[in-house]
Amino acid sequence: MIYILQQALNALQLGSIYALIALGYTMVYGILTMINFAHGDLFMVGAFFCFLIAVYLKLSFVPTLLLSMLGVASLGVIIERFAYKPLRNAPRVSAIITALGVGLFLENFTLALSPYPQHIPTLINSTTWNLGGVSVSSLQIIIIVLSLALMFILDFIVQRTKVGMAMRAISWDKTIVPLMGVPVNKIISLTFAIGTGLGGAAGVMYGLAYPVIDPYMGIMVGWKAFISAVVGGIGNIRGAMIGGFILGSVEIMVAAFLPSTYRDVVSFALLLILLIFRPYGILGKPHPQKV
Amino acid sequence: MNREILLSAKNLTVSYHSITAIQNVSFDIYEGEIVTLIGANGAGKSSTLKAISGLVTYTGNISFRGKELKNIPADIIVAMGIAQVPEGRGIFGNLTVMENLKLSTWQRKDKDKITLDYERVFSLFPRLSERKRQLGGMLSGGEQQMLAVARALMSDAHVLLLDEPSMGLSPVLVRDIFQILREINQAGKTILLVEQNANMSLHIASRGYVLETGRIVLAGTGKELMGNPRIKEAYLGG
């Protein structure tokens, strides 16, 4: 029982990181119907920003997190402006291939600057408590609480603010939105900033939990987060959060009870099975476009 | 008539790649008028409206209150006072009726007047008031058309461009919509109405233009056009 509780806590930590990254995939898909396959690598860049800021500017956790998020968000906006925007009316396949290219560029650019894995210094002096046999670290609590807080803020923005309303309108039909007086390009840039910023935050938190970082760390995590977004229903914000926690739980539980090498097989099998029975994901709906 | 020209197009040409949608189209719309642009499918009616709203690139000129509109982004054109009710109504099905209306106030800062405008719009369309919290996608075709017009009103535009508001609606609903357009016009809005339904639109329009395969082939007052034998045969069913 205690073992299961311990694993549930681990699942919550991993799940919240997947959920944060999955949000970036789902937001971009929602407004542009493209999969930003560079998103996992932006997560990696977030971890590297964290490393650079912590080592060279010697800032503490909160400013490091905020600056890293800002850095990744700016990079996301620049990538959208120069790599994706010219392809907005091109077939989606072209945009997706471009995204893969951007991802490879980010990996290799980082590799060129940092050929060896780096170690993120300790930003949070984590204390570990023993609660009836379950060990809980303050770092774990910070990661989970902070991720949930970011998700609540995002959900509020999307559901309750005028900007969020514009984002939802764009996801329905972006050709009509300018006729409402809404500057579509600005909203798309903002969506990229928020989505990639959350990915950057996930990179920082992942880097604190697993401090050895390398330019390829975003690939597998990115795929897992992408699966999370699809499992939850791509384009659906709450679905991405749910999908992240499901995938985190599945992985941790598989590793806890089965040989840990089964972990990735099970994640990808989950995606394949789900796609057969519920191709739109858990919360996704087939988009009934009235003509 | 020495009224002010509000909206004017000169030698407007719109092409998509190598296909020309409209060619050398020119027209003037005076303050307070209802002008209709009639024509069959593919005559270039929607392209004309898209050009005015800044959704497509064009050669030639469009000016509004004497100001050249070319290269002005679509959202700013709305802010200047030109709203479009697009073909197929363009309701955001995932947004509530209220959110659909709210979105079109994006460019406005006059909070007090916005509140007044909501009241005005809801008294004009009581059905929308009953359905404020419903998703746009749940509305019937007629209600969606009303919402589309209401949305254009909420942007506080001076000129309303309407792209086939009668499309897909029953004759009774079409009559209702046209009656409301007339009321809106009497309340001070200038209207450019694009229609296939020539009978209804010439009826309420002060002037009309006939568009055929991308060119204006006839122009005149609503009465003149209704009496024109060629129009009678081609658009009014003999």
Side-chain angles (χ1 to χ4, degrees), chain A residues 82-204:
Chain A
F82 292 102
Y84 302 157
K85 195 178 168 210
L87 296 170
R88 209 172 279 166
N89 298 316
R92 295 297 74 190
V93 174
S94 315
I96 286 169
I97 290 171
T98 305
L100 286 169
V102 170
L104 285 171
F105 172 80
L106 290 176
E107 284 164 25
N108 288 291
F109 186 79
T110 312
L111 187 69
L113 296 181
S114 160
Y116 305 107
Q118 304 287 355
H119 196 281
I120 293 185
T122 311
L123 287 173
I124 293 171
N125 282 314
S126 191
T127 43
T128 306
W129 301 288
N130 192 318
L131 302 178
V134 181
S135 80
V136 182
S137 74
S138 51
L139 179 64
Q140 257 178 331
I141 302 287
I142 287 174
I143 289 177
I144 293 167
V145 170
L146 203 58
S147 305
L148 288 175
L150 288 172
M151 285 182 236
F152 277 116
I153 293 170
L154 175 73
D155 198 67
F156 180 84
I157 292 174
V158 172
Q159 301 299 335
R160 298 263 173 264
T161 66
K162 220 168 168 181
V163 166
M165 212 159 71
M167 288 174 179
R168 284 180 285 140
I170 291 174
S171 79
W172 183 267
D173 185 347
K174 69 170 177 288
T175 61
I176 306 292
V177 178
L179 295 176
M180 307 293 112
V182 177
V184 173
N185 287 335
K186 277 188 199 148
I187 303 291
I188 290 177
S189 292
L190 192 64
T191 308
F192 259 86
I194 295 176
T196 53
L198 291 176
V204 172

Side-chain angles (χ1 to χ4, degrees), chain A residues 159-160 162-163 165-166 168-184 186-187 290-291, chain B residues 53 55 74-75 78 84 86 90-95 99-100 102-108 137 139 141 144 151:
Chain A
Q159 301 299 335
R160 298 263 173 264
K162 220 168 168 181
V163 166
M165 212 159 71
R168 284 180 285 140
I170 291 174
S171 79
W172 183 267
D173 185 347
K174 69 170 177 288
T175 61
I176 306 292
V177 178
L179 295 176
M180 307 293 112
V182 177
V184 173
K186 277 188 199 148
I187 303 291
K290 256 195 176 176
V291 276
Chain B
S53 282
L55 296 179
D75 53 300
V78 177
Q84 185 182 149
I91 297 304
F92 301 108
N94 58 343
L95 266 55
E99 287 176 326
N100 266 282
K102 212 175 186 177
L103 194 64
S104 64
T105 65
W106 188 278
Q107 295 280 354
R108 298 179 64 179
L139 301 183
Q144 287 196 347
R151 225 168 38 175

